[in-house]
Amino acid sequence: MRTKGYFGEFGGSFVPDVIQVQLDKLTEAYDYYKRDEIFQQEFRDLLKNYAGRPSMLYFAENMSRDLGGARIYLKREDLNHTGAHKINNVLGQALLAKRMGKTRLIAETGAGQHGVATATAAALLGMECEVFMGAEDIRRQAVNVYRMQLLGAKVTSVVTGTATLKDAVDQAFAEWVRRDDDTFYLLGSAVGPAPYPEMVRDFQKVISEEALEQIKAAEGKMPNEVIACIGGGSNAIGMFHAFVPYPEVRLVGCEAAGKGISSGQHAASFTAGKVGIIHGMKTYFCQTETGGIADVYSISAGLDYPGVGPEHAYLKDSGRAEYVPVTDSEAVAAFHYIAKTEGIICAIESAHALAYAMKEAPKRSKEEILIVCLSGRGDKDVAEIMGMN
Ligand SMILES: *Cc1c(COP(=O)(O)O)cnc(C)c1O
């Protein structure tokens, strides 16, 4: 049974009434435009002509040979305009906002990557943009703040609470309610109350739709395993979606184990979390002893989120997908390895998926195929990794 806005028992919409009013309008608009051929065509045109899709499915021959097992393919989301998969989602939501008659996009951001993506879409579509960011994060991410400003966005410092992401989320919701007439809240991952998880999935599913066609053309068969890193889960759900109906394709999500699960310093929602309500949805998240949201940690800002999208919770509990922890040090080793073997500097987030593939490939025969989602490029991470040496 599938109730609207739910994936099995997960998802839903656990928000105050004033926000539910907004969500209902959004749901109505999205239900309409997802079936609107002109809207879908315009979205596809932007993906092609602006984001640069389709992204390549690249056979990593050097890595495959060196690891001595399965053939490894990389889905190159790092080659998209702005350097990651996030552009797919922001273009979709910004286009929907315009159709709804909105002139202003708001977003919250932690490390700044989603803020930069949202500011990009706003600039392209001629919309106003305001990004809420914790004062502490603004200090740590000065270059991304400047990028957003270059793109014409206003960055608003949030000084309440711990002055980080969760406070920025609260402020963005408050602003959405306050300026309902012209403002659209653009969410950055497949998380939050309905309809966001499903809508973001729909804007990201192009990743697997392309990959399915590309692997059939290259190999004439299905992959054995599809692998992606998980923060909120948008690149992973985009990478999984078209393969879900094929049970012979194993789906594996790699979550951030940080300094190790037992250290308590991680962001592994499935490995170490429990089911509850977080950010308006029912899903797994990292909890304190009293059921609150735990402080989480990962070397990668994009995976440093306490929860995970509800569709992943459903895929896990139904046994269709598996989720594994990958530590900082495994990810850093993979980051170095792919740079040397393939000449690709990938995002430290994506390196989590790659680290798992490096363990998995040697166990499999040379006829088998793994596809890894390379969710982004690593220019943003070079300075930090350099500092570790
Ligand atoms: C934001 C980000 C992620 C994590 O977000 P998901 O919603 O889980 O995909 C992963 N990789 C990169 C490169 C990112 O920028």
Side-chain angles (χ1 to χ4, degrees), residues 360-381:
E360 186 69 6
K363 298 182 201 157
R364 288 179 170 269
S365 79
K366 292 194 162 69
E367 284 70 53
E368 293 184 82
I369 299 165
L370 309 185
I371 301 181
V372 180
C373 186
L374 220 61
S375 54
R377 66 179 177 227
D379 309 42
K380 67 184 179 54
D381 300 310

Side-chain angles (χ1 to χ4, degrees), residues 27-281:
T27 301
E28 193 187 332
Y30 184 61
D31 281 350
Y32 178 82
Y33 285 108
K34 78 179 171 199
R35 294 186 189 85
D36 182 60
E37 202 30 58
I38 298 168
F39 175 82
Q40 293 297 337
Q41 186 57 47
E42 202 171 332
F43 178 49
R44 281 193 295 271
D45 284 349
L46 283 177
L47 290 179
K48 175 167 182 270
N49 300 311
Y50 187 71
R53 304 203 71 90
S55 68
M56 272 190 257
L57 184 70
Y58 166 72
F59 174 45
E61 192 173 353
N62 296 339
M63 272 181 64
S64 303
R65 193 186 322 110
D66 184 56
L67 294 167
R71 296 163 70 77
I72 299 175
Y73 280 82
L74 305 174
K75 182 60 173 160
R76 300 288 308 273
E77 294 300 300
D78 60 315
L79 297 178
N80 296 337
H81 175 52
T82 68
H85 66 292
K86 286 191 170 69
I87 192 76
N88 306 324
N89 172 46
V90 296
L91 289 175
Q93 286 193 54
L95 209 53
L96 178 64
K98 274 215 128 164
R99 284 295 206 283
M100 291 175 72
K102 310 282 181 171
T103 54
R104 178 167 175 265
L105 302 176
I106 59 170
E108 87 295 330
T109 197
Q113 289 155 250
H114 174 56
V116 171
T118 304
T120 301
L124 176 71
L125 297 179
M127 303 175 84
E128 252 184 86
C129 181
E130 182 169 356
V131 178
F132 296 89
M133 196 167 178
E136 187 53 30
D137 290 331
I138 287 184
R139 194 184 57 74
R140 287 189 292 221
Q141 304 290 340
V143 175
N144 274 340
V145 171
Y146 186 60
R147 280 197 182 100
M148 290 180 245
Q149 289 164 344
L150 271 177
L151 293 160
K154 178 178 170 203
V155 179
T156 297
S157 173
V158 176
V159 292
T160 48
T162 55
T164 55
L165 181 63
K166 56 178 181 291
D167 311 293
V169 172
D170 291 342
Q171 191 133 339
F173 270 114
E175 179 70 6
W176 193 28
V177 170
R178 195 177 70 80
R179 275 184 68 172
D180 150 55
D181 51 330
D182 66 349
T183 297
F184 184 99
Y185 184 11
L186 206 158
L187 211 68
S189 188
V191 296
Y196 284 104
E198 185 178 338
M199 180 170 72
V200 173
R201 192 259 335 266
D202 288 348
F203 291 139
Q204 292 290 2
K205 69 184 181 184
V206 63
I207 302 173
S208 54
E209 288 171 350
E210 287 174 7
L212 183 63
E213 292 309 312
Q214 289 167 320
I215 199 68
K216 278 203 262 177
E219 296 274 356
K221 61 180 181 187
M222 282 289 178
N224 299 82
E225 196 162 334
V226 169
I227 302 158
C229 66
I230 302 250
S234 72
N235 87 91
I237 206 68
M239 185 74 235
F240 291 174
H241 184 74
F243 295 105
V244 168
Y246 301 92
E248 69 274 26
V249 181
R250 194 172 165 214
L251 306 174
V252 180
C254 301
E255 54 181 14
K259 296 184 177 165
I261 300 296
S262 58
S263 74
Q265 294 191 53
H266 59 75
S269 320
F270 284 128
T271 309
K274 289 202 213 93
V275 175
I277 308 288
I278 177 175
H279 298 154
M281 61 181 159

Side-chain angles (χ1 to χ4, degrees), residues 220-373:
K221 61 180 181 187
M222 282 289 178
N224 299 82
E225 196 162 334
V226 169
I227 302 158
C229 66
I230 302 250
S234 72
N235 87 91
I237 206 68
M239 185 74 235
F240 291 174
H241 184 74
F243 295 105
V244 168
Y246 301 92
E248 69 274 26
V249 181
R250 194 172 165 214
L251 306 174
V252 180
C254 301
E255 54 181 14
K259 296 184 177 165
I261 300 296
S262 58
S263 74
Q265 294 191 53
H266 59 75
S269 320
F270 284 128
T271 309
K274 289 202 213 93
V275 175
I277 308 288
I278 177 175
H279 298 154
M281 61 181 159
K282 182 175 179 188
T283 190
Y284 285 82
F285 66 99
C286 296
Q287 302 189 4
T288 61
E289 270 167 28
T290 53
I293 302 174
D295 287 332
V296 290
Y297 161 83
S298 165
I299 187 174
S300 93
L303 305 188
D304 190 359
Y305 175 69
V308 61
E311 191 167 5
H312 288 292
Y314 174 70
L315 291 173
K316 176 192 160 59
D317 275 17
S318 64
R320 180 64 192 91
E322 294 157 65
Y323 296 85
V324 297
V326 174
T327 64
D328 284 1
S329 54
E330 290 172 315
V332 170
F335 177 90
H336 284 283
Y337 179 76
I338 187 180
K340 293 226 165 58
T341 54
E342 295 290 348
I344 296 172
I345 296 176
C346 76
I348 191 68
E349 288 84 1
S350 322
H352 285 69
L354 204 63
Y356 168 79
M358 287 164 61
K359 287 189 268 188
E360 186 69 6
K363 298 182 201 157
R364 288 179 170 269
S365 79
K366 292 194 162 69
E367 284 70 53
E368 293 184 82
I369 299 165
L370 309 185
I371 301 181
V372 180
C373 186

